[in-house]
Structure formats: C-alpha cells, structure tokens
Amino acid sequence: MSELPWLTHKAWATARYGHPVFRVPVDPGWSCPNRDAEGRGGCTFCAEDGGRARQLGEAAGAAQQVHRAVAFARERYAAKHLQLYVQAYTATYADVESLKGLVEPLLDMEPFHSLSLGTRPDCLSNGILELLQDWNRRVEVWVELGVQTTHDATLRRIRRGHDWARSEAAVRRLEACGLRPAAHLIFGLPGESEAEMLESLYRVCQTPVHGLKLHNLHVLRNSPLGGQWLAEPFEVMSDEGYLEFLANALRRIPKHLPLFRVFTDSPPDQRLAPPQTLKKGRFLHLLEKRMRERGWRQGDDV
Ligand code: SF4
C-alpha cells in the first residue's frame, strides 16, 4: 500500500530527517493561568489532569517520567530518535529560571533530537522566548499552541481566556524568533457549525504554522463540560460525523504541513460523549479507506 492520503508526522520526519522522531512526554506538574488566575476554573473541555500522557502513570519527578517514557518508546516502537515533549497544562507557565531548571537537566539525560513545549498563546513572555531561542541553538524547538478555534464567541463559551488575535500573534512571533509553532485545533466545540470549523482550519493554515494537531471534542467526566453534559446532555459529533468532516477538512490543509494527530482516544471510563466504540487504528483505517475511495488527498482542495 502506498503512503497515506495525509502527511503524518512520522512520514514528514522520515522525509526531512531520514528517520521518525518519537515523543518523550514529561509533565512538570505546573498548572495554567486559566485555572489559577481570576478563578476562571479552566477551559470547559479540559480534564483535571490537563492532558497528561497516560504512559507517564504515577511517575513522580520529571527525570523519572523521562526514564519511564524513554523505556516505553524504545520497547514499544524501537525508537531511536527522541523529542522531549513538555506537556500537560501549560509548559511555559513558569518563570524563566524554573523552566530552565526543569528542561536543561532533562535535555542532558538523552541525546534528544528536538524539544517541544505545549502551551497557551498568552504564556510567551520575552524572557521565555529568549530561553527558547537559546535552546533552539542546541536542539530544534517546537511550540505547540492551544488555539482550539479561531472564533471568539466559541473561545468565550469554552472559557479559553484569550482570543484568536492572540493566537495568531503568538504564531507569528514564534516564527519570527526562528522557532517552530504548531497549532492544536478541536473540532465539534459546542455551538460551532462545520463551516466555522473549516474557517478555523483555513485561518490557521494562513499563519506560518509548521504543523497541526487535530481532533474531535470528547466530553470528559472530570471536566466542566462533563458537568454541563451530565446536567443536560447536548449533541456531540460522533465518530462517523467526525470521519466524514475530517476526510473533507484534510483536503483544505496544505500538503507540506505535518499532522501530529488527527484523532484522540480518551479512556472509556472518563468519556461521556461521544459514546465512541472505534479504536484509533480502526478510525485511521476507515479514514484512509474513505479518502482513497474518493481519490482525496491532503491539500488537493486548498
Ligand atoms: S486546556 Fe490548557 S489552558 Fe485550558 S485549562 Fe487545560 S491546561 Fe489550562
């Protein structure tokens, strides 16, 4: 079978570097300004653990997490080239010295190929950017920004605490600093139409992003949205609905942009909606099949 109809990060990295790059997630245990400040209580879709990678388990300190995640990547994927991925909550929600104190010893633990930090567009101070530029001389630095949508009404509804202009400015600023911004979008946020979702995708692709992370909304039990859903269930995009939407949406993404993710598979005991039965591998198989049947590819309708 020939290559997939969309550009996975693995295919992109293999073409660019000659090998795939595997992520080694680490959760510094920091919170985020959207939970701490002004009592906003966080984005409505966000679970209590802020998106912690499951393979981290109960590992305590950052070094132990890295040991565990490296072992996982080597054992499960025979990984050779690794990216240190500081994720969960907001990686740059710390002062410069704390971030430096966390990341630099971790970078010394392994010959990391690159570094990626997950954060919010409003958490990039001048000092943090200078630090990232400093690290960028040592390893390739990526910054994964939670954009979620470009519609300010939705951003207010999900209590995101920033607007689209802030996201757009952050992407351009990171790019101007020689860093590699990537954007995270969620499809199926409450109150958004498919036309609005495609508009978000279009707007983000007009910025100098270097990659995208996409998935559909999952309503999690331990999130504010979960509480709303339990009080009054609302319609959430099904796997099939997302499959059909995504097959079309991928055509609107420039073919050079790698996709870090196009699906999410939350733990069934935490997910309230959609009542998903598809495993990630099955979903990707169906997506590939549908796109092949229709002769569709990423970027063929930009
Ligand atoms: S999604 Fe990110 S910014 Fe929003 S509450 Fe969760 S950790 Fe904070």
Side-chain angles (χ1 to χ4, degrees):
M1 185 65 84
S2 60
E3 62 190 27
L4 288 170
W6 65 92
L7 185 60
T8 62
H9 181 261
K10 185 177 179 187
W12 174 86
T14 303
R16 182 181 172 102
Y17 310 119
H19 53 74
V21 179
F22 294 86
R23 284 184 153 182
V24 171
V26 60
D27 173 7
W30 296 326
S31 186
C32 84
N34 208 25
R35 286 177 183 270
D36 286 358
E38 302 158 27
R40 282 198 294 254
C43 309
T44 60
F45 59 83
C46 183
E48 278 165 10
D49 63 4
R52 194 170 203 261
R54 265 171 281 159
Q55 68 263 38
L56 291 177
E58 295 304 316
Q64 191 186 346
Q65 291 177 35
V66 169
H67 275 307
R68 185 177 288 199
V70 167
F72 178 84
R74 291 207 169 117
E75 188 183 320
R76 182 143 171 194
Y77 304 111
K80 291 195 176 69
H81 303 274
L82 304 169
Q83 177 183 74
L84 181 64
Y85 179 36
V86 186
Q87 54 100 244
Y89 297 112
T90 299
T92 59
Y93 185 47
D95 57 74
V96 171
E97 286 312 312
S98 302
L99 188 59
K100 200 170 169 175
L102 170 85
V103 171
E104 293 190 353
L106 300 179
L107 283 176
D108 290 337
M109 286 176 65
E110 293 284 334
F112 283 106
H113 165 274
S114 48
L115 166 68
S116 180
L117 300 109
T119 193
R120 293 170 52 90
D122 55 357
C123 260
L124 294 166
S125 66
N126 290 339
I128 292 285
L129 282 177
E130 280 166 26
L131 182 62
L132 300 187
Q133 285 176 280
D134 194 29
W135 289 337
N136 202 33
R137 291 180 200 105
R138 174 176 173 184
V139 290
E140 207 170 88
V141 175
W142 290 71
V143 179
E144 200 176 275
L145 289 174
V147 173
Q148 322 308 3
T149 171
T150 68
H151 298 283
D152 288 345
T154 313
L155 288 164
R156 282 192 293 277
R157 212 159 33 234
I158 62 173
R159 296 200 313 235
R160 185 66 195 164
H162 65 75
D163 59 10
W164 157 237
R166 192 77 183 239
S167 297
E168 188 178 17
V171 171
R172 297 193 187 284
R173 201 157 154 237
L174 288 163
E175 167 73 7
C177 289
L179 302 162
R180 291 160 191 77
H184 177 195
L185 284 175
I186 300 178
F187 296 126
L189 288 168
E192 281 209 345
S193 66
E194 292 200 359
E196 286 172 316
M197 295 177 224
L198 289 176
E199 194 176 6
S200 284
L201 188 60
Y202 173 79
R203 287 178 181 164
V204 165
C205 290
Q206 297 303 302
T207 69
V209 284
H210 288 233
L212 294 173
K213 181 170 159 184
L214 312 171
H215 63 82
N216 53 326
L217 176 71
H218 280 195
V219 178
L220 301 177
R221 190 174 291 281
N222 56 3
S223 68
L225 207 53
Q228 290 173 27
W229 193 90
L230 285 170
E232 190 172 349
F234 48 87
E235 201 173 328
V236 175
M237 200 194 275
S238 65
D239 271 7
E240 170 52 34
Y242 179 54
L243 183 73
E244 183 62 23
F245 169 79
L246 184 63
N248 182 37
L250 292 178
R251 307 179 69 204
R252 319 293 180 94
I253 300 174
K255 57 179 72 150
H256 70 276
L257 275 185
L259 306 178
F260 296 98
R261 173 193 281 196
V262 296
F263 189 67
T264 189
D265 50 357
S266 54
D269 60 333
Q270 290 177 33
R271 187 183 58 247
L272 294 170
Q276 179 190 310
T277 51
L278 292 180
K279 297 271 188 218
K280 182 176 160 193
R282 178 71 183 151
F283 180 90
L284 296 179
H285 167 74
L286 292 174
L287 178 63
E288 178 186 357
K289 185 165 174 285
R290 189 158 305 181
M291 291 186 77
R292 285 193 193 287
E293 281 168 359
R294 297 178 185 178
W296 289 357
R297 295 194 65 78
Q298 178 178 334
D300 69 4
D301 189 23
V302 173

